[in-house]
Amino acid sequence: MAVKRRIPVEEGRSALRTWAEAAATGAEDAAALPRTTRATAVRYTLEELATRAEGNSVEVRVPPFGVCQCIAGPRHTRGTPPNVIETDPATWLGLATGQLSWQAAVGQGRVSASGSRADLSAHLPLD
C-alpha cells in the first residue's frame, strides 16, 4: 500500500536542504530555524522512509513532530509496538541527511531502539 504524503515533495526537500545547510554551520544555527521548517523536514523524511521501506513492523517516533511505520514484517495494530525507534528531531535529521551515522547515534544514546527489527542502518541516510 502506498504511503499517503501530507508534505509536498518540493516543500519537504526545501525544508530539509535548509536544515542541512544550517546544521553544517552549527547545531545552534539548525536549532534556531523556525519550528515549521524543522517540523516539515522531519515529517518529509519520515514520509520518505515509509515510502522507501514500506511496511508496518517498526514504528519510528520523532517527537513532537511525527511518527511513521515502516519495514516489512509482522503488522502491529494495538498497544505499544514491539519494534520502536525514538529520537529527537536534530538527531533524526542528522541520520536522514548522513551527517550522523546510525551506529554513532545508537552508541551515543541519541536513539532509543527496541525490538529485533529496530535497526535503520540499511535505510539511512535517505539519499
Side-chain angles (χ1 to χ4, degrees), residues 35 74 78 105:
R35 178 182 168 91
R78 292 183 56 161

Side-chain angles (χ1 to χ4, degrees), residues 18-34 37-38 90 93 99:
T18 299
W19 181 89
E21 290 168 358
T25 63
E28 306 80 32
D29 292 341
L33 289 171
T37 301
R38 291 179 287 126
L93 292 172
Q99 293 181 6

Side-chain angles (χ1 to χ4, degrees), residues 49 71 85 95 101-103 106 117-125:
L49 174 65
I71 303 180
I85 295 167
L95 290 165
S101 75
W102 177 259
Q103 292 75 16
V106 171
R117 295 176 185 265
D119 182 348
L120 296 178
S121 59
H123 306 285
L124 296 171

Side-chain angles (χ1 to χ4, degrees), residues 11-125:
E11 185 179 331
R13 286 182 181 158
S14 175
L16 185 59
R17 190 171 32 257
T18 299
W19 181 89
E21 290 168 358
T25 63
E28 306 80 32
D29 292 341
L33 289 171
R35 178 182 168 91
T36 56
T37 301
R38 291 179 287 126
T40 299
V42 167
R43 292 174 184 145
Y44 166 73
T45 53
L46 287 171
E47 288 177 359
E48 193 66 20
L49 174 65
T51 299
R52 294 178 185 196
E54 284 191 47
N56 297 98
S57 68
V58 177
E59 186 167 286
V60 180
R61 301 173 180 169
V62 185
F65 298 133
V67 62
C68 78
Q69 290 187 349
C70 59
I71 303 180
R75 181 179 179 89
H76 175 77
T77 58
R78 292 183 56 161
T80 302
N83 301 290
V84 176
I85 295 167
E86 187 165 337
T87 191
D88 62 274
T91 299
W92 171 250
L93 292 172
L95 290 165
T97 60
Q99 293 181 6
L100 179 63
S101 75
W102 177 259
Q103 292 75 16
V106 171
Q108 295 167 8
R110 296 173 64 183
V111 170
S112 170
S114 62
S116 61
R117 295 176 185 265
D119 182 348
L120 296 178
S121 59
H123 306 285
L124 296 171

